[in-house]
């Protein structure tokens, strides 16, 4: 009994001691900028899972062990670690994008940007929020040196093209590798991400930062990290909504109206001056101002765009979460195009115990859109963009009801009578009517899932297993309804359905160990294994002979076509490792290696090894720099070299394929369809990088980089002797290089209590050259482009146009020796130094704040790029002057000896493919503007339920400066013809945080 009593007393005193060792900690967290309470700041006891969040007055209290330390963090503010105490007064500074921020660069945990030896650039998610855009890539244009982003179309469902430091391939993929929360995703999935869900986007540009991704990283890597909750963070609900309009960005062409076109007919045929009927017609049009503006008819003045985003984020002691929903809807500036997108995201992390954490990142997106019919058929009369330039302005859009002309003086034909279905003056149907009985819609469902388990068995060791899924289902429905009022056009209906399903499973296992020796030597060692399998299945069917428009299913058809069906698969296995070493925060070394095996390549070359090394010297840490530290705050020198691969090819290119179908006399059969190449292998890109980064006077940051990228084993279609049974096959035979430099300079021009103004300028120059093609062959035609050794990919190939001879109005060209000639020939074609790929690109970003107002501007530009304005072939050409509308420039056409002009005479010979229509497509664009007002904290706190409120105005593509005469210069191709014009958008919105 005595022993039990003593044991009880000992336990009681031990419990009291433990209780006394836990003391209550309290305090207030405020903003260092304005002294306002920080509501919902996370307060966590370092080394434990104990935590809380500040209340509406910024207060907090919790129990903590003696001598404990607290970590205080809040979104947009710098995290602080302080010693625990009573009645603490903690002031949080606003965080800034600096060399010390943490970024995710690949496998393993995040690293400080100032400790990475490779070329890495990060965009904060804040710069992507509240943009009226259908794809997130558009928001990146002009923000990263060396990254070119082109949104070539204003179609609501249009994608974007992206290049990092030039074009590294001709026939394989040129787009970057996209990584979302640790798993590879397709570009389609990347473009479907809700911009408001993104925490940051990191662009990896050199081999040191990308080599860990091996065979997929030759074109650079873009890593997307989505927003997440924080442990011990009070729940925060954010709601933002905006509504706006979109319209065409602009049209540099000056097209004729009806009166001008009729006047030009006299220029074409002077005898019309004496034609009584023609003169009466011309007078009639002029007197009553009759005519059709086809731009207004096909392109609406403005169309609505709306966006709603809702998110909830926070965390308990052991669980952190984020849930978000996004809605985006827009109508195209052409009536038969539109898009609606819904996104759902759920990011969860749970600490099962101190050494085990599990989590998942889930994104579900549904997109429904309709593309403009005939939009991909550039010179069809049913392509609305082509029609807007070429349709005759004298053709009415509506039936005239026989009213007296005085009843519609100073008006146009539009609005009188029924809308015409057939244009008798031009001899074809109204494209809008044709679209009305050929409706088509596309639905796409995307699922991206990443589930992971983290195990920390000992200090510094993190073992992680992650399973990623990137999947989408695509369904397209197309109808051809009966034209009941025009039965001869389409007397019976048809229905077609197509479906494709894609999925990619990725399993990644890594072990990362961080340790320190003698407090100066920091090591991080990572070993990993990754397996990937993907599959695409597609099929389509069509039924004809449907006799009732109300019966829209294919089962109602009388006859059916042979269905289409395809399957493709890919498997990849990889092993990789990485070593990061630093000495005294002064010298840094990064090493990486990866061994990849892929089913895409020939059986003799399915495995390849890629690797890189990088070193960085933090010069400001040296003792001899002590005297400069008061003005030179950071100075780092970097050098790297390594190799990456390009596996962006179609499956089965290396295999000898057999095709089946009704090949002979209507009977099914098989035949060899593709020549095999068991030696087909990766394109390899080897990159050398030099960089100097730093900060001066705590106001000026700079990043200067030089790079040299060489692509070898480049894939080309090799001509075969016809005796083999094939005209060509794929082989690794070509080489090219990209050399250039990036620069980024940022300046805090004003920085005080009320004012802050930061300006950041970035730019890139890239020189591309082809150094090898076929064995011993210096020129080659591929994909519609002529390639030559010593020239860039994308250089224009054609005949040099010189001038119009003022004596006779004939076009004059130059032969290969520079001699003038009027007898043009294909043999005079030459390679210019003018490419549709801009060698110069850059952006200017300005952030200006005054008290609670903020003005953000983002300019982007591309320079010294050229495109062939194919539209002018039809609108500045006497051959089409009587059947198509013409540009007002045609009034400068040569008419008599002595005329100095660049438009030849009516009877002159024209040559399609000379450089007369090759235009400088350089541009500078105000890509983004946002003016916002944040409601003061003292007003917000008075509500006792709001944490923040902001109202804003947003504009996209508000201004474009270019000399290009087409609809828009931001088209990623060598010519324009019938391209859906880009759009300008303005929106008003509000954001509330609870």
């Amino acid at each position: 009994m005595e022993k039990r009593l003593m044991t009880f007393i000992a336990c009681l005193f031990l419990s009291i001691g433990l209780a006394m060792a836990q003391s209550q900690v309290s305090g207030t967290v405020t903003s260092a900028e304005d002294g306002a309470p920080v509501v919902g700041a996370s307060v966590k006891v370092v080394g434990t899972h104990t935590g809380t969040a500040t209340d509406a007055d910024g207060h907090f209290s919790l129990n903590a062990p003696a001598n404990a330390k607290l970590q205080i963090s809040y979104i947009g503010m710098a995290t602080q670690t302080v010693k625990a105490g009573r009645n603490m007064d903690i002031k949080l500074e606003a965080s800034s994008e600096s060399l010390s921020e943490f970024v995710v660069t690949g496998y393993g945990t995040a690293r400080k940007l100032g400790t990475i030896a490779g070329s890495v650039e990060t965009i904060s998610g804040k710069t992507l929020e509240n943009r009226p855009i259908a794809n997130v890539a558009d928001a990146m244009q002009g923000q990263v040196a060396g990254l070119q982003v082109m949104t070539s179309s204003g179609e609501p469902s249009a994608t974007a093209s992206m290049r990092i430091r030039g074009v590294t391939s001709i026939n394989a993929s040129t787009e970057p590798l996209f990584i979302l929360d640790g798993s590879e995703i397709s570009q389609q999935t990347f473009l479907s991400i809700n911009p408001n869900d993104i925490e940051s986007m990191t662009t990896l540009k050199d081999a040191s930062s990308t080599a860990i991704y091996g065979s997929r990283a030759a074109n650079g890597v873009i890593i997307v990290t989505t927003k997440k909750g924080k442990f011990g963070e009070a729940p925060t609900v954010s709601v933002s909504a905006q509504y706006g309009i979109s319209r065409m960005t602009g049209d540099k062409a000056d097209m004729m109206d009806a009166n001008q076109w009729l006047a030009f007919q006299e220029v074409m045929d002077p005898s019309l001056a004496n034609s009584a009927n023609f003169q009466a017609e011309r007078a009639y049009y002029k007197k009553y101002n009759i005519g059709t503006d086809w731009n207004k008819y096909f392109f609406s003045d403005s169309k609505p765009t709306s966006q709603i985003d809702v998110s909830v984020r926070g965390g308990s002691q052991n669980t952190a979460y984020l849930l978000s929903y996004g809605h985006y809807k827009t109508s195209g500036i052409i009536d038969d195009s539109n898009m609606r997108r819904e996104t759902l995201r759920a990011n969860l992390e749970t600490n099962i115990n101190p050494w085990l954490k599990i989590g998942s990142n889930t994104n579900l997106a549904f997109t429904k859109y309709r593309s403009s019919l005939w939009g991909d058929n550039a010179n069809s009369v049913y392509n609305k963009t082509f029609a807007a330039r070429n349709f005759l302005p004298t053709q009415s859009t509506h039936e005239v009801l026989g009213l007296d002309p005085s009843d519609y003086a100073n008006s146009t034909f539009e609005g009188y009578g029924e809308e015409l279905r057939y244009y008798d003056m031009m001899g074809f149907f109204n494209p809008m009517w044709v679209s009305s009985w050929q409706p088509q819609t596309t639905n796409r469902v995307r699922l991206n899932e990443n589930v992971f388990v983290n195990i920390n068995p000992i200090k510094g060791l993190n073992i992680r297993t992650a399973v990623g899924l990137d999947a989408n289902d695509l369904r397209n429905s197309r109808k051809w309804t009966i034209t009941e009022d025009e039965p001869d056009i389409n007397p019976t209906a048809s229905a077609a359905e197509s479906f494709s399903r894609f999925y990619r499973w990725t399993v990644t296992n890594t072990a990362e160990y961080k340790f320190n020796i003698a407090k100066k030597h920091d090591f991080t060692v990572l070993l990993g294994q990754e397996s990937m399998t993907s599959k695409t299945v597609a099929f389509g069917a069509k039924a004809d002979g449907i006799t009732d428009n109300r019966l829209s299913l294919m089962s109602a058809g009388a006859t059916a076509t042979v269905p289409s069906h395809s399957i493709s698969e890919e498997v990849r296995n990889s092993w990789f490792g990485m070593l990061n070493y630093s000495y005294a925060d002064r010298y840094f070394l990064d090493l990486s290696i990866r061994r990849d095996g892929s089913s895409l390549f020939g059986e003799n070359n399915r495995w390849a090894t890629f690797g890189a090394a990088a070193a960085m010297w933090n010069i400001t840490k040296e003792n001899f720099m002590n005297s400069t530290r008061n003005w030179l705050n950071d100075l780092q020198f970097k050098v790297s070299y390594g190799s990456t691969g390009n596996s962006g090819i179609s499956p089965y290119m290396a295999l000898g394929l057999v095709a089946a179908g009704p090949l002979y006399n209507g009977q099914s059969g098989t035949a060899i369809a593709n020549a095999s190449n068991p030696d087909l292998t990766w394109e390899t890109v080897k990159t050398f990088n030099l960089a100097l980064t730093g900060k001066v006077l705590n106001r000026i940051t700079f990043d200067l980089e030089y790079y040299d990228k060489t692509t070898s084993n480049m894939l080309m279609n090799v001509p075969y002797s016809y005796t083999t049974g094939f005209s060509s096959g794929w082989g690794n035979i070509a080489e090219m290089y990209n050399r250039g430099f990036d620069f980024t300079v940022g300046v805090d021009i004003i920085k005080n209590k009320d004012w802050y103004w930061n300006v950041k300028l970035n730019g890139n120059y890239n020189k591309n050259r082809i150094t090898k093609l076929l064995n011993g062959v210096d020129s080659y035609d591929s994909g519609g482009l002529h390639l030559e050794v010593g020239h860039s990919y994308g250089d224009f190939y054609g005949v040099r146009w010189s001038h119009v001879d003022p004596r006779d109005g004939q076009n004059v060209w130059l032969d290969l020796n520079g001699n003038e000639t009027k007898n043009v020939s294909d043999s005079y074609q030459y390679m210019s130094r003018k490419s549709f790929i801009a060698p110069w690109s850059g952006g200017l970003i300005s952030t200006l704040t005054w008290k609670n107002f903020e003005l953000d501007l983002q300019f982007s530009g591309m320079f010294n790029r050229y495109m062939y304005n194919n539209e002018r072939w039809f609108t500045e050409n006497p051959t089409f002057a009587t059947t198509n509308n013409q540009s007002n420039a045609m009034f400068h056409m040569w008419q008599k000896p002595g005329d100095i002009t660049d438009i030849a005479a009516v009877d002159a010979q024209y040559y399609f493919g000379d450089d007369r229509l090759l235009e400088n497509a350089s541009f500078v664009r105000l890509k983004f503007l946002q003016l916002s007002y944040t409601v003061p904290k003292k007003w917000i706190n008075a509500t006792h339920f709001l944490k923040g409120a902001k109202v804003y105005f947003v504009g996209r593509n508000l201004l474009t400066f270019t000399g290009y005469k087409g609809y828009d210069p931001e088209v990623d191709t060598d010519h324009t013809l019938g391209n859906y014009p880009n759009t300008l958008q303005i929106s008003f919105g509000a954001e509330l945080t609870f």
Side-chain angles (χ1 to χ4, degrees):
M1 183 67 181
E2 184 178 357
K3 289 183 178 180
R4 292 181 181 178
L5 180 62
M6 294 299 293
T7 302
F8 172 76
I9 294 173
C11 290
L12 178 63
F13 275 99
L14 180 61
S15 299
I16 294 173
L18 290 173
M20 293 180 63
Q22 293 279 330
S23 59
Q24 189 177 53
V25 176
S26 62
T28 303
V29 181
T30 59
S31 169
E33 183 178 359
D34 56 13
V38 179
V39 183
S42 172
V43 182
K44 183 178 178 181
V45 180
V46 176
T48 72
H49 294 308
T50 302
T52 187
T54 56
D55 60 18
D57 297 318
H59 296 315
F60 71 90
S61 64
L62 76 169
N63 292 324
N67 300 319
K69 289 185 178 181
L70 301 182
Q71 184 182 78
I72 301 93
S73 60
Y74 187 75
I75 300 170
M77 293 186 169
T79 300
Q80 283 192 32
T81 301
V82 297
K83 187 175 180 179
R86 287 180 174 271
N87 301 319
M88 303 173 68
D89 183 14
I90 301 168
K91 299 184 183 297
L92 293 183
E93 298 278 353
S95 64
S96 59
E97 295 182 357
S98 66
L99 295 177
S100 62
E101 65 181 326
F102 284 84
V103 297
V104 177
T105 61
Y107 304 95
T109 55
R111 301 171 60 190
K112 282 187 178 182
L113 192 56
T115 66
I116 301 171
S119 180
V120 175
E121 193 163 348
T122 297
I123 301 174
S124 168
K126 183 179 181 299
T127 66
L128 307 173
E129 293 177 349
N130 302 323
R131 299 204 177 200
I133 53 175
N135 70 74
V136 69
D138 186 82
M140 299 181 70
Q141 188 183 91
Q143 293 214 54
V144 177
L147 173 63
Q148 289 189 0
V149 181
M150 302 282 278
T151 302
S152 299
S153 170
E155 185 106 50
S157 60
T159 60
S161 57
M162 307 176 72
R163 283 189 292 269
I164 298 176
R165 291 180 168 180
V167 176
T168 57
S169 181
I170 293 176
N171 290 302
S173 172
T174 59
E175 71 180 28
L177 170 68
F178 300 100
I179 302 293
L180 175 61
D181 290 327
S183 296
E184 179 182 353
I185 59 172
S186 65
Q187 188 196 47
Q188 285 286 346
T189 301
F190 171 74
L191 297 177
S192 72
I193 299 172
N194 183 351
N196 286 341
D197 285 342
I198 296 175
E199 183 72 31
S200 66
M201 285 204 293
T202 303
T203 304
L204 313 182
K205 299 189 283 187
D206 73 329
S208 169
S209 57
T210 62
I212 193 65
Y213 292 102
S215 64
R216 300 170 290 160
N219 301 312
V221 181
I222 294 177
I223 296 177
V224 182
T225 303
T226 57
K227 295 177 180 177
K228 297 173 177 61
K230 293 184 178 180
F231 296 100
E233 179 183 51
T236 299
V237 179
S238 296
V239 180
S240 65
Q242 60 177 279
Y243 181 85
I245 58 172
S246 63
R247 61 180 179 83
M248 188 165 59
T249 53
D251 187 358
K252 300 284 286 187
D254 181 19
M255 302 302 296
M256 295 179 183
D257 60 23
N259 293 321
Q260 290 168 330
W261 186 82
L262 288 169
F264 184 67
Q265 298 311 299
E266 283 192 31
V267 176
M268 293 287 296
D269 183 4
S271 68
L272 292 176
N274 300 318
S275 170
N277 290 336
F278 178 81
Q279 292 302 322
E281 179 186 10
R282 184 180 173 189
Y284 177 78
Y285 276 85
K286 183 176 182 181
K287 179 179 180 180
Y288 298 110
N289 192 30
I290 297 172
T292 299
D293 184 342
W294 291 104
N295 257 340
K296 285 186 177 180
Y297 181 72
F298 289 117
F299 306 125
S300 303
D301 288 338
S302 61
K303 284 298 182 71
T305 298
S306 60
Q307 187 170 339
I308 300 173
D309 292 284
V310 182
S311 69
V312 182
R313 64 189 296 178
S316 63
Q317 178 176 333
N318 291 314
T319 300
Y321 60 87
L322 176 136
L323 303 173
S324 73
Y325 164 75
H327 164 82
Y328 178 86
K329 185 177 182 180
T330 184
S331 296
I333 56 175
I334 299 179
D335 284 342
D336 62 343
S337 60
N338 53 64
M339 190 191 81
R340 177 171 67 92
R341 182 186 66 203
E342 315 290 338
T343 59
L344 285 171
R345 173 165 289 280
N347 290 347
L348 302 172
E349 292 184 3
T350 299
N351 289 316
I352 304 299
N353 53 47
W355 54 269
L356 177 62
K357 179 168 72 174
I358 63 174
S360 70
N361 303 298
T362 306
N363 183 64
L364 179 66
F366 169 77
T367 306
K368 182 178 182 179
Y369 60 89
R370 182 180 178 185
S371 300
S372 181
L373 193 65
W374 301 95
D376 56 352
N377 194 341
N379 61 350
S380 168
V381 294
Y382 298 114
N383 176 296
K384 286 85 172 176
T385 309
F386 179 84
R389 286 276 177 87
N390 288 272
F391 277 12
L392 295 179
T394 53
Q395 170 72 61
S396 170
T397 63
H398 287 68
E399 180 183 359
V400 179
L401 297 180
L403 300 175
D404 186 87
S406 62
D407 292 337
Y408 49 92
N410 299 317
S411 182
T412 64
F413 279 140
E414 289 92 321
Y416 292 90
E418 296 290 332
E419 188 173 24
L420 290 175
R421 296 176 180 175
Y422 184 77
Y423 295 146
D424 54 354
M425 188 176 293
M426 295 182 288
F428 41 78
F429 293 97
N430 181 343
M432 299 305 295
W433 178 71
V434 173
S435 295
S436 70
W437 57 265
Q438 297 188 44
Q440 60 175 335
T441 58
T442 302
N443 296 328
R444 187 189 292 269
V445 179
R446 297 183 179 94
L447 173 63
N448 178 257
E449 176 68 50
N450 182 272
V451 181
F452 63 88
V453 177
N454 271 20
I455 301 174
N456 301 103
I458 60 175
K459 182 180 179 181
L461 178 61
N462 182 51
I463 300 173
R464 178 185 175 96
T465 294
V467 179
L469 170 65
D470 182 24
N472 74 75
D473 280 358
L474 177 69
R475 177 178 177 177
N476 179 269
S477 300
R478 179 93 182 260
K479 312 293 182 187
W480 292 262
T481 61
I482 299 171
T483 52
E484 295 175 346
D485 295 333
E486 300 282 350
D488 293 337
I489 305 304
N490 204 48
T492 60
S494 303
E497 296 284 336
S498 61
F499 177 85
S500 68
R501 169 170 292 169
F502 162 82
Y503 67 80
R504 178 192 291 115
W505 287 101
T506 305
V507 179
T508 307
N509 301 292
T510 59
E512 182 184 46
Y513 184 47
K514 294 184 177 183
F515 60 96
N516 176 276
I517 299 177
K519 296 183 179 181
K520 287 188 176 183
H521 303 272
D522 290 299
F523 292 88
T524 299
V525 179
L526 182 139
L527 296 175
Q529 178 273 334
E530 189 170 69
S531 298
M532 185 278 291
T533 180
S534 68
K535 186 175 184 178
T536 301
V537 179
F539 61 86
K542 181 185 178 185
D544 300 313
I546 301 174
T547 58
D548 192 325
N549 283 337
R550 295 171 297 178
L551 304 176
S552 59
L553 300 180
M554 289 189 295
S555 57
T559 60
T561 59
V562 176
S564 61
H565 192 196
S566 64
I567 299 176
S568 64
E569 297 178 282
E570 178 188 354
V571 176
R572 182 175 60 241
N573 282 297
S574 307
W575 300 88
F576 53 89
M578 184 168 60
L579 170 66
N580 307 126
Y581 166 75
S582 68
Y583 173 74
D585 200 27
R586 188 183 307 167
Y587 309 111
F588 300 83
L589 178 67
D590 293 344
L591 302 174
S592 61
I593 189 169
R594 184 172 181 122
R595 178 75 171 168
D596 275 333
S598 173
S599 64
L600 295 175
F601 298 98
E603 59 183 349
N604 296 336
N605 283 309
R606 285 185 173 163
W607 288 88
T609 303
F610 307 93
M616 182 173 69
W617 178 23
N618 193 343
I619 303 174
T620 48
K621 293 292 184 178
E622 299 290 352
N623 293 331
F624 62 78
M625 295 293 290
N626 289 340
S627 61
T628 66
R629 287 177 183 168
N630 60 333
W631 62 272
L632 183 59
N633 312 110
D634 278 298
L635 185 63
Q636 298 172 335
F637 175 76
K638 303 178 183 180
V639 60
S640 67
Y641 181 79
S643 65
T644 50
N646 190 341
S647 58
I649 65 173
S650 301
Y652 316 127
M653 287 174 62
L655 302 179
L657 302 180
V658 175
L663 300 177
Y664 182 74
N665 198 27
Q667 299 298 311
S668 178
T670 59
I672 299 175
N674 187 64
S676 65
N677 182 356
D679 296 318
L680 196 72
T681 189
W682 278 275
E683 294 185 349
T684 301
V685 177
K686 296 180 180 178
T687 304
F688 173 73
N689 197 85
L690 281 176
L692 188 68
T693 64
K695 190 172 187 179
V696 180
L697 299 174
N698 278 319
R699 284 180 177 266
I700 304 172
T701 60
F702 61 88
D703 186 346
L704 311 174
E705 299 194 26
Y706 166 81
Y707 61 87
D708 187 336
K709 301 180 4 177
T710 301
T711 305
S712 58
N713 290 328
M714 201 157 54
L715 287 168
M716 298 290 290
N717 210 337
V718 183
Y720 286 176
S721 168
Y722 284 106
T723 58
T724 63
F726 300 97
S727 61
S728 62
W730 291 103
N732 301 97
I733 57 172
E735 295 180 1
M736 70 161 56
Y737 70 75
N738 288 269
R739 295 171 186 160
F741 60 85
D742 298 338
F743 69 88
T744 303
V745 179
V747 183
D748 290 335
I749 300 176
I750 303 175
K751 192 176 183 180
N752 56 42
K753 180 180 178 181
D754 293 331
W755 287 90
Y756 174 72
W757 185 18
N758 174 269
V759 175
K760 185 171 74 170
L761 175 68
N762 70 74
N764 166 264
Y765 170 74
N766 185 81
K767 180 181 180 181
N768 170 271
R769 288 290 183 270
I770 298 171
T771 56
K772 180 184 176 183
L773 290 170
L774 301 173
N775 294 332
V777 176
D778 291 334
S779 64
Y780 185 66
D781 292 318
S782 174
L785 288 177
H786 182 81
L787 310 173
E788 280 193 16
V789 172
H791 284 266
S792 300
Y793 171 77
D795 277 357
F796 173 76
Y797 179 69
V799 175
R800 287 173 290 180
W801 178 85
S802 178
H803 64 281
V804 173
D805 191 335
R807 296 170 298 180
D808 57 10
Q810 300 300 302
N811 282 305
V812 179
W813 295 272
L814 301 178
D815 64 17
L816 293 179
N817 296 319
N819 301 315
E820 295 183 356
T821 178
K822 294 180 183 178
N823 297 314
V824 66
S825 169
D826 289 347
S827 63
Y828 298 157
Q829 294 183 99
Y830 82 114
M831 284 292 286
S832 71
R833 295 291 182 183
K834 298 177 179 179
S835 174
F836 73 91
I837 300 173
W840 289 93
S841 61
L844 176 68
I845 302 169
S846 171
T847 300
L848 175 65
T849 63
W850 176 67
K851 295 186 177 180
N852 294 84
F853 291 92
E854 181 171 327
L855 176 64
D856 294 299
L857 299 174
Q858 179 188 328
F859 289 88
S860 64
M862 297 190 186
F863 310 96
N864 202 31
R865 68 184 298 263
Y866 291 82
M867 285 195 299
Y868 194 87
N869 190 342
N870 213 350
E871 287 149 353
R872 288 175 55 206
W873 175 255
F874 297 94
T875 62
E876 293 183 14
N877 192 330
T879 306
F880 305 100
T882 59
T883 56
N884 295 37
N885 196 15
Q886 297 290 290
S887 165
N888 275 311
M890 290 296 287
F891 283 110
H892 301 291
M893 182 179 67
W894 186 96
Q895 298 181 52
K896 63 183 184 303
D899 285 350
I900 305 298
T901 180
D902 59 356
I903 299 178
V906 172
D907 61 349
Q909 179 187 5
Y910 281 76
Y911 178 80
F912 184 79
D914 61 25
D915 60 7
R916 181 178 68 92
L917 305 182
L918 188 67
E919 297 183 20
N920 190 324
S922 303
F923 67 88
V924 173
R925 170 161 275 168
L926 177 53
K927 195 66 184 179
F928 175 72
L929 179 149
Q930 178 174 273
L931 177 62
S932 62
Y933 175 73
T934 303
V935 179
K937 283 282 187 181
K938 59 181 180 180
W939 297 357
I940 296 297
N941 294 336
T943 67
H944 299 291
F945 69 92
L946 279 177
K947 289 184 180 180
K950 182 172 73 171
V951 293
Y952 55 86
F953 163 81
V954 179
R956 170 183 173 269
N957 291 347
L958 292 181
L959 296 171
T960 303
F961 305 95
T962 183
Y964 190 66
K965 297 178 183 178
Y967 282 105
D968 192 82
E970 192 181 327
V971 180
D972 191 21
T973 184
D974 60 342
H975 72 280
T976 58
L977 179 64
N979 300 80
Y980 195 118
N982 221 317
T983 54
L984 175 155
Q985 280 133 344
I986 58 173
S987 297
F988 292 89
E991 181 179 342
L992 301 176
T993 306
F994 303 91

